Amino acid sequence: MFRFLAAVFALLLSGLPVVAASLEQMAGQMIIVGFEGASADADGVEAVAEELREGRLGGVMYLKKNVTDLPMVREMNALFRAATPDLPPFITLDQEGGAVERLTGEVGFSEIPNAASIAARKTPQEAEDIYRAMADGIAAEGFSVNFGPVADLNLNPDNQVIARFGRAFSADPETVIAYDAAFIRAHHAAGLITALKHFPGHGSSTADSHEGFVDITQTWTPEELEPYRALIGEGLADMVMIGHLYHADYADDDGETPSSLSPRWIDGILRDELGFDGVVISDDLEMGAIRDHFTLEETVIKAVRAGMDVLLFSNTAKYRPGLSQEILDILLAEAAADPDFARRIEQSYARIVALKARVK
């Protein structure tokens, strides 16, 4: 209750709305989706802009397919921002550098090396200068959220999703903390929000959660929490992105609950042990690790009950124009049946609006 009241007080100071017109609008803020189209007049772009305008959506997620021309990106982002000027949308992308980027040299954006290369060749201060230039470019295109930095430790050199692409700065927690902090400070200077990922740690895994079930029970170690502990303690964590990682000790003995649907990880470790009271966002909830094991209804309800504030759906597994409405309907039906679930939505809304007060 103290955290909720603190969030409401922050909203009062920000001048943004403390109370949405309806529970529907509160729940809508919890949804970020991918979309079809690469220009402001594309049907898919206009559709999500209308959802933003009506308060049924909290933000959008860019993929490479949405970026064919930087001026058109700016036009789309101007449309998204104009749709909801009183409560700015989360306009998000993955722009880490290296292989993981949505803005590329092909469309005229200056690319940078991956995290491993930067840590090997540059000091944290030099890295901050590199990330500041990148963040300034991202902000200039109208984005508000970059899903980074990677807080994973490079513990498994054969890792398919982290080590393979040089996405982690190091296997050493202190090194990761220093470079993560440089990344975050650079983005904050540009007016952008960041997201530490992939909690509780993807660097020791032996599989890729994009493709299916990832069991970290035998590989994960508590030191993988150290970057989160330090950066939360320094007040540098805006969002924390939860990965789809299964650990038997945190899965309610069901043999399938990943960290993104686990109250033991989110409410227990992240919030209670590490003291994070900000916005918790899922990794893409259409990855194989989720869609192969849970229905859409199970995914949405379990995630919110576990402590998730923002539900991220790329809408790529099987594109559906009405996906965000399906998610919203599930949230509202469960809230109508369970007052505790409705309170979860209210708490998430308070955290989200407090963070959006920082969007420039």
Side-chain angles (χ1 to χ4, degrees), residues 23-45:
L23 187 67
E24 179 181 21
Q25 290 180 313
M26 290 188 188
Q29 287 298 312
M30 300 175 68
I31 306 169
I32 294 178
V33 295
F35 59 95
E36 291 292 313
S39 65
D41 59 359
D43 289 345
V45 173

